[in-house]
Amino acid sequence: MADTNKVFQSDLHLKIIKFFHENQASLDTPRGVSTWVHKDRAIVKKALEELVEMKVLVAHRSTSTTGYSYTRSAKTISKIEKLLKKRRSV
Amino acid sequence: MEELKNNKEYQRELFDRLKKSISLKKEEECFGVCLNSALWWLIDQPDPKLSYMKRLISGTCPFLKGPDSRKKSGCVKMLWDVVKKCRRARTLIRFECVESLHGFVYPILQGDKLYGYIGTCYTKRDVSGQVVDIFAAFTDVIVREVQKELELSKLYETIRPRAIALSTVHTVHRLIGSTLDMNELLPRVARLSLQIIRANRCSIKLVDYTRKLLLPKVTIDLREKKSRLKKVKIGRWSPGKAVKYGRPIRDKNHMATPLIDEDVIGVITLYDKVDKKPFTSFDQEIMSTLSEQAVIAIKNAQLYKEQEKLTVGVIKSLASIVSTRAKGIYLPRASFLRIANLIGQKMRMSNRELKEIEYAVLLHDAGQLVVPDEVLTKPAKLTGREYSLVKEHPIMCAEILKPMKALKGVVLLILHHHENYDGSGYPKGLKRDQIPLGARIMGAVSAFEAMIVKRPYRTTRSIGAAIEEIKANSGTQFDPKVVQALSEIVNRQDIRSMLAKERYGGHK
């Protein structure tokens, strides 16, 4: 996983990570994620791709759409869990 | 039992919210003035015990903080009786306590259901009935508001995970419905199943009814454990049982979901959840939905494969008709199909475009069916009229294949495979990018083929000489990029071996 400053670079990134962390079995398109985080689809799509690059999300690509899901790496998930807890306590 | 637990939980949450309710605090402030700074208390159960009342009142009433236990117990008992009376009457009850102080108790209701009470004491003796009525009406509004908030929050908690699950299922549907290639489809279904159930291993088996076996098609283990692809008899183990009985088989560490069309066509088995918890009925529900979608996708892919086989069969039949018509002239071999495919790959063409090239290479000279035998097999140079007949073969071929709508893209390649890069070719005199890329590839490959295959009217050339000739015409007859790719591919050892094996050129 990339460094934490990059991962939580914006409120949107944080919202998306929180959504997937709380719903780890979820798999959704940019349109779906934009509904859950109440943001514009184009901005969400860009953030989703950035999180894929940082290995926080996994992209399932097909010709018609791309589905995004949470990482399977236990190490990354526990790191994010700690970071989210830290943010909650601040 | 479950209902009782839910009721208790609801009651607890309702009072938690009431205690935090800003509206209730404001009501206390407003009525505090009218009621002479009264003491307030909330009783969070419909049938409180005496001990509960004792704890509640001792903490609030200043008269009960002293050492007089007789007075204290008298007061608590009196209030307990008022609460009981309120429970029976389900309406506001006014009282006068042992210290001659006034107060009232009001029930917190939702329909017939009683959840607790809101009470006050230490109020003015002469509080008017109207104030008390207003208090009751206000309290009802606040309680209803809090109950609605709570119900909305419960609804959100119930619906949101289902909405997220539904969205996930919809995404899965889109992802698995977008491929018709079985080799791509089954691993994708396995990966998506692992993702949405958060399991570590997934295996997909398809049924072979003639052998009464489940044939393993794909197994993915995210722990990178090596797993053998095992055949399973129908009726044995969980996958076999799921197929035999046509229903999901769920155990602590695995879950087999049958793929049901008219019959059971296969089974998806998931093993070991990441959180080490057992598989749940919710997992089963999700997998049943996913398997329904997977069946449709598998059926579509099988149907597509059948259709493709039929198309290829028709193309091969046509090709063999052409080859019997002009023996030794038209005979595309695997090596040329391979060379055309590799050039297409180098030029980053899609799978569909590569297939079109393959079909076009197989059929590119089908138009020669309408060229007279004596012209096709003539060992000498063709006359002007004869050459015009030969030049018409791409158009004739396009006409023959036109009724086959599935070959629309192929027809275009065949029609233009004799166009030259500089516009000097036929039938339309197209140049550069006007010529479809597939046709430019075919042009170079068929010229290479023509030079190294024995023809009645000329001797064969070596592979090296043929490539040199093609290079010499790069930029005029042929696309330079295609020529570059062709010369690189022909120099590959595997292609050289393939050409030698098929006895083209006679030399390496």
Side-chain angles (χ1 to χ4, degrees), chain A residues 54-65:
Chain A
M54 293 171 209
K55 297 191 186 331
V56 174
L57 298 184
V58 180
H60 305 261
R61 299 185 200 281
S62 79
T63 46
S64 64
T65 191

Side-chain angles (χ1 to χ4, degrees), chain B residues 277-319:
Chain B
K277 287 182 182 166
F279 287 92
T280 64
S281 56
F282 187 67
D283 295 333
Q284 190 177 313
E285 206 180 305
I286 293 282
M287 275 312 290
S288 295
T289 313
L290 187 143
S291 71
E292 281 166 21
Q293 293 168 348
V295 167
I296 296 167
I298 290 169
K299 281 277 160 190
N300 281 345
Q302 285 173 339
L303 209 64
Y304 181 76
K305 205 174 173 184
E306 286 300 314
Q307 199 192 353
E308 205 179 43
K309 268 187 194 167
L310 193 74
T311 310
V312 172
V314 169
I315 288 167
K316 283 189 175 161
S317 300
L318 268 173

Side-chain angles (χ1 to χ4, degrees), chain B residues 2-3 5-17 110 115 145-162:
Chain B
E2 186 69 19
E3 200 183 346
K5 194 179 150 197
N6 289 344
N7 275 343
K8 276 192 175 171
E9 201 177 315
Y10 181 83
Q11 179 141 354
R12 187 182 52 75
E13 286 178 35
L14 177 69
F15 278 90
D16 279 351
R17 281 172 183 268
Q110 188 179 30
Y115 287 102
E145 180 193 292
V146 170
Q147 280 167 340
K148 267 190 191 148
E149 255 176 40
L150 181 59
E151 270 157 29
L152 267 177
S153 131
K154 289 232 170 257
L155 197 67
Y156 180 80
E157 278 169 24
T158 317
I159 287 177
R160 189 175 151 90
R162 273 167 175 72

